[in-house]
Amino acid sequence: MTSFSILLRALLITVTWLTCFSVALTVDDQLQELRENYLEFKEATETKVNQLEATVTQLKDQLQKQESLLISVSQRERPATSCKCLTDVTAASGSSIDGIGRPSVALSGIPSSCEDLALIGHTLSGLYSVMGTEQVETVYCDFSKLPNEPSFQTRIGYSDLKSVPTFFYVQKNFGFNTSDTPIPFEVERLNIGGAMNLTSGIFTAPRTGVYFFSLSGFATIPPSSTRLFFGVALYLNGKSIGIAWADEITPGDQDETYSLQSTLNLLAGDEVWLEIRFLSPGVYLNDRPGHFTHFTGWLLYENISQSLTGMNH
């Protein structure tokens, strides 16, 4: 065999070996790429599965809340002293579901809590007005929570509502010295609601609630070496509540001022008036067209629950 033949054979062997080695490397690369693709696919699949599981859990929680709310409609019991609403449900079984998945019930009366609002379909958290024990109250309702969860309802305060506004301010034009009889008035500066009767001098409370009254004026006391006195009483249904007092020992005529303020919790129909209860001879309530006697009053807040009793049954 010639040297050329030997060289050619060696070259062929080398080429064959390199070709086999190259093929082997290509297969290994492909296997590695497949492994990497598999790991990426597996990781992406696990992420998707976790997301789906979280979504399913969230949906289950929402369903559970809806079911709990429905159960509370059909099974809840309220103490008679605190129930302002909600005891009438149309369906015998309790409630139904409306088109967007909220509990829907027909209730009588005025909502008295966030739970009441939820039962009639409210779902947006925010500030709402509800009927409290005596007055309308403002509450914050967090409808992302169940009624038995903390902070489902947060009380904010009272709403100053009056079904009948009541304010009066009256004056006298003339002096007065008759005791043990309601003091009449001649001048009406303000009488919103018409609760003050000038002729009789009697104020009649139109609604149950808290009222404020104020009286001021002066009495003329004649000359005397002994103490003379004058006392005006505020009466509630015939009973003296308080007395505005003036007295003096004076060598000449003396004008003595008096005043009285009172805050009273009145029932609808209660009567309030002024009377001269204590009066020495010659002493009198002094007034003239310049007006020195001032009697005023107004409704501070109304027990709105009493006014709306007919709507709660």
Side-chain angles (χ1 to χ4, degrees), residues 164-170 188 190-207 211 213 266-273 295 297-299:
V164 177
T166 305
F167 312 90
F168 77 87
Y169 173 28
V170 295
E188 179 183 279
L190 183 70
N191 194 9
I192 303 300
M196 181 64 189
N197 186 313
L198 273 72
T199 303
S200 68
I202 296 176
F203 170 85
T204 304
R207 294 288 188 269
Y211 293 77
F213 299 93
L266 303 181
L267 300 176
D270 282 349
E271 295 182 333
V272 176
W273 66 86
F295 184 37
W298 59 85
L299 174 61

Side-chain angles (χ1 to χ4, degrees), residues 3 6 21 32 34 51 81 89 102 121 123 139 217 225 233 258 289-290 313:
S3 299
I6 294 172
F21 180 74
Q32 180 63 29
L34 288 173
Q51 292 176 349
T81 56
V89 182
R102 298 179 304 189
T123 58
V139 294
S225 58
Y258 57 84
H313 299 287

Side-chain angles (χ1 to χ4, degrees), residues 223-262:
S224 175
S225 58
T226 60
R227 186 171 297 276
L228 301 181
F229 48 82
F230 175 86
V232 178
L234 180 70
Y235 279 82
L236 169 60
N237 297 330
K239 181 179 180 181
S240 176
I241 297 298
I243 298 174
W245 185 264
D247 60 41
E248 188 64 80
I249 300 174
T250 176
D253 286 347
Q254 179 73 33
D255 292 329
E256 288 292 322
T257 60
Y258 57 84
S259 65
L260 173 66
Q261 291 79 40
S262 181

Side-chain angles (χ1 to χ4, degrees), residues 104-127:
S104 176
V105 296
L107 305 165
S108 65
I110 301 174
S112 62
S113 66
C114 291
E115 184 179 358
D116 290 355
L117 295 172
L119 293 175
I120 60 177
H122 287 278
T123 58
L124 297 179
S125 299
L127 295 177

Side-chain angles (χ1 to χ4, degrees), residues 14-73:
T14 301
V15 170
T16 301
W17 181 82
L18 289 173
T19 300
C20 292
F21 180 74
S22 176
V23 171
L25 287 177
T26 301
V27 172
D28 289 340
D29 290 341
Q30 291 176 348
L31 288 174
Q32 180 63 29
E33 185 177 355
L34 288 173
R35 290 192 191 97
E36 293 175 356
N37 290 339
Y38 169 74
L39 292 175
E40 291 178 0
F41 175 76
K42 180 180 179 182
E43 183 178 354
T45 302
E46 290 177 348
T47 301
K48 285 292 184 182
V49 169
N50 291 335
Q51 292 176 349
L52 290 173
E53 288 178 347
T55 301
V56 170
T57 300
Q58 184 179 5
L59 291 174
K60 286 182 177 179
D61 291 341
Q62 292 177 356
L63 181 60
Q64 184 178 6
K65 287 186 177 182
Q66 293 285 353
E67 290 176 346
S68 299
L69 194 56
L70 289 175
I71 292 173
S72 70
V73 173

